[in-house]
Amino acid sequence: QSALTQPASVSGSPGQSITISCTGTSSDVGAFDYVSWYQQHPGKAPKLIIYDVSSRPSGVSNRFSGSKSGDTASLTISGLQAEDEADYYCGSYSSSGTLVVFGGGSKLTVL
Amino acid sequence: QVQLHESGPGLVKPSETLSLTCTVSGGSINNYYWSWLRQPPGKGLEWIGYMYSSGSTDYNPSLKSRVTMSVDTSKNQLYLRLRYVTAADTAVYFCSRVQFAVAVNMDVWGEGTTVSVSS
């Protein structure tokens, strides 16, 4: 069982926006502004798309945005494209046990 | 740009030691933290631990008793050893670079190497 809770699946049509939630606790998501989001296509390594809750690495599309409220972080993808179909993982810095905890991943299907 | 490449045996017997190497090219190992993570088949990511280029480490408590990470800066290589493996250690193993010294920010990843534990 993963430390952070994400929906197993989300879906949307091209051009639409979707939001993936990531719920933790006051020891991880709620305690630190160190939440990251990773995109993983099948058979590939994860790719960092959001760090520090809402910052985007150079080269990542501005269609990806992140936010946080309390113990829940969110990833929003706007203007959905077919290439966005992938698994998305949230991760957080944690003060309880291990330094890094992840969500179980959310599979995004672009209809 | 920095590239990472994991290597090691694809098959390890139960109770033996898994040994992996991560070769860093296009940049220096120095002054960065480097992580190891794994992903069991069809499952999510698990953070194994990280180490600074000086050799200091921090491990996931669930694996701490069996894990050793080390570095050879002269070879630009990182190493992972996991002792007493079982089938539950079967996974794709990744090495990654930590950005801005924040453990959860991993900006460069290797392609991963698949390790199966079986007799």
Side-chain angles (χ1 to χ4, degrees):
Chain A
Q1 185 161 342
S2 301
L4 307 180
T5 301
Q6 298 181 234
S9 62
V10 294
S11 62
S13 299
Q16 289 185 331
S17 294
I18 62 96
T19 297
I20 301 173
S21 62
C22 170
T23 301
T25 70
S26 57
S27 296
D28 38 65
V29 175
F32 307 98
D33 286 335
Y34 293 137
V35 176
S36 295
W37 289 90
Y38 294 88
Q39 176 192 63
Q40 187 179 34
H41 287 106
K44 300 294 187 181
K47 174 187 176 184
L48 180 67
I49 56 173
I50 295 288
Y51 67 95
D52 294 354
V53 175
S54 59
S55 296
R56 272 188 313 276
S58 174
V60 172
S61 171
N62 59 10
R63 297 185 300 104
F64 294 92
S65 62
S67 62
K68 190 185 86 166
S69 178
D71 295 343
T72 299
S74 298
L75 171 71
T76 298
I77 308 174
S78 59
L80 270 180
Q81 300 179 359
E83 68 208 48
D84 299 332
E85 188 162 289
D87 293 325
Y88 291 83
Y89 293 91
C90 64
S92 175
Y93 188 85
S94 174
S95 61
S96 177
T98 183
L99 272 185
V100 176
V101 290
F102 285 102
S106 298
K107 182 175 179 60
L108 169 62
T109 300
V110 180
L111 303 170
Chain B
Q1 71 277 22
V2 175
Q3 293 184 315
L4 310 181
H5 176 71
E6 304 91 346
S7 58
L11 182 64
V12 182
K13 289 183 168 57
S15 80
E16 294 190 346
T17 297
L18 178 164
S19 296
L20 298 177
T21 298
C22 175
T23 301
V24 180
S25 59
S28 173
I29 275 185
N30 291 320
N31 303 316
Y32 280 97
Y33 284 89
W34 303 87
S35 291
W36 286 95
L37 303 96
R38 67 183 184 178
Q39 186 171 34
K43 296 188 177 181
L45 298 167
E46 180 179 27
W47 186 77
I48 299 173
Y50 75 168
M51 68 179 301
Y52 192 60
S53 51
S54 63
S56 63
T57 58
D58 201 308
Y59 301 139
N60 186 325
S62 70
L63 298 168
K64 187 174 184 176
S65 64
R66 299 192 292 129
V67 169
T68 302
M69 295 180 185
S70 58
V71 59
D72 186 333
T73 53
S74 67
K75 294 183 177 180
N76 247 22
Q77 290 182 328
L78 310 157
Y79 309 101
L80 173 71
R81 285 170 53 89
L82 182 64
R83 296 175 291 278
Y84 310 116
V85 297
T86 69
D89 296 310
T90 293
V92 177
Y93 285 75
F94 297 98
C95 59
S96 64
R97 187 180 75 173
V98 175
Q99 177 182 255
F100 307 137
V102 175
V104 71
N105 295 347
M106 290 163 276
D107 65 339
V108 182
W109 292 64
E111 75 273 22
T113 186
T114 299
V115 177
S116 297
V117 178
S118 175
S119 55

